Amino acid sequence: KQEVTQIPAALSVPEGENLVLNCSFTDSAIYNLQWFRQDPGKGLTSLLLIQSSQREQTSGRLNASLDKSSGRSTLYIAASQPGDSATYLCAVTIIQGAQKLVFGQGTRLTINP
Amino acid sequence: SAVISQKPSRDICQRGTSLTIQCQVDSQVTMMFWYRQQPGQSLTLIATANQGSEATYESGFVIDKFPISRPNLTFSTLTVSNMSPEDSSIYLCSARQGQRSGYTFGSGTRLTVV
């Protein structure tokens, strides 16, 4: 059974810092990995999608890497801003069966002005 | 990627009543998904909604409690039946357009049962 773990559970940093969020998964049989952002009480916004054959994806100040063989992904946020404060969720699409999305527990990020 | 409109965005309901949540996708999608997010928790898949067939429910979720409709390739509803305070959660629908496409989510329905 696929399990996704995110470390740390919460992170608080001053504005302007670069930071890294970590995600690990137990089964490398995935189609892709997706990073989402969730603001309190809201839905999910997709940030980056990495296919299983890719190593990284970039969007603006965000860079996500994928090492499928070791079951790890990182989300790098450059020059953090208070508006980046949110919960960040990592999820993998499993290959078996209905190709479900399996989520980690999320990292709650706070950027202090 | 697809855009999903979900409504209502929030509701406060009396215990014992039912609430139907709607999701409209701006393009045809084969599979839609319904999730529950309890306070402080990550997302849990309730069921997969396929057009033209009955929904497939995950362990711990049953059709009598969470009936789902999928009348066409752009629309789905989830009903939360006979609600109790334990049903207070955010409910989200999701869809994807192809095997290697990412998932898109609706804006969520924040349900409070009193």
Side-chain angles (χ1 to χ4, degrees):
Chain A
K1 179 185 172 186
Q2 178 75 266
E3 293 184 359
V4 180
T5 303
Q6 290 187 245
I7 295 173
L11 181 64
S12 180
V13 301
E15 180 178 5
E17 280 203 5
N18 303 324
L19 56 98
V20 174
L21 307 182
N22 296 292
C23 172
S24 62
F25 48 96
T26 56
D27 187 344
S28 62
I30 63 170
Y31 277 118
N32 50 48
L33 182 144
Q34 206 164 352
W35 283 93
F36 295 92
R37 168 188 172 136
Q38 185 177 32
D39 294 293
K42 303 295 185 181
L44 275 64
T45 299
S46 180
L47 298 173
L48 289 164
L49 171 69
I50 311 177
Q51 301 296 342
S52 60
S53 59
Q54 297 176 323
R55 299 288 289 184
E56 66 177 345
Q57 283 287 331
T58 298
S59 176
R61 295 182 293 109
L62 305 179
N63 175 276
S65 69
L66 174 64
D67 184 342
K68 197 176 75 164
S69 61
S70 67
R72 296 178 189 275
S73 176
T74 62
L75 178 66
Y76 175 83
I77 302 177
S80 59
Q81 303 170 358
D84 294 330
S85 297
T87 296
Y88 290 79
L89 292 157
C90 163
V92 296
T93 301
I94 61 175
I95 289 178
Q96 290 85 3
Q99 301 162 19
K100 293 180 265 191
L101 197 60
V102 180
F103 282 89
Q105 293 295 312
T107 294
R108 185 164 55 206
L109 176 64
T110 303
I111 308 298
N112 301 303
Chain B
S1 53
V3 176
I4 302 177
S5 300
Q6 182 173 345
K7 60 181 181 181
S9 59
R10 59 174 58 211
D11 208 340
I12 301 174
C13 300
Q14 297 291 322
R15 69 174 66 203
T17 63
S18 298
L19 175 72
T20 296
I21 302 167
Q22 300 180 4
C23 276
Q24 178 76 50
V25 189
D26 69 346
S27 58
Q28 294 185 341
V29 292
T30 304
M31 299 170 78
M32 293 183 70
F33 307 85
W34 288 96
Y35 289 85
R36 180 175 74 182
Q37 186 177 31
Q38 295 176 300
Q41 303 294 314
S42 190
L43 281 74
T44 301
L45 181 64
I46 297 171
T48 301
N50 304 309
Q51 194 269 334
S53 63
E54 284 198 5
T56 303
Y57 288 83
E58 297 298 302
S59 176
F61 297 96
V62 296
I63 187 171
D64 289 346
K65 176 67 175 177
F66 298 101
I68 288 171
S69 78
R70 183 83 199 273
N72 56 53
L73 290 173
T74 64
F75 187 78
S76 180
T77 68
L78 170 76
T79 298
V80 186
S81 303
N82 188 23
M83 289 184 285
S84 67
E86 291 70 35
D87 294 319
S88 298
S89 297
I90 298 174
Y91 292 85
L92 300 108
C93 64
S94 176
R96 65 178 178 137
Q97 291 179 294
Q99 195 175 65
R100 297 200 173 271
S101 298
Y103 285 77
T104 303
F105 281 79
S107 54
T109 296
R110 192 167 193 169
L111 170 63
T112 302
V113 183
V114 297

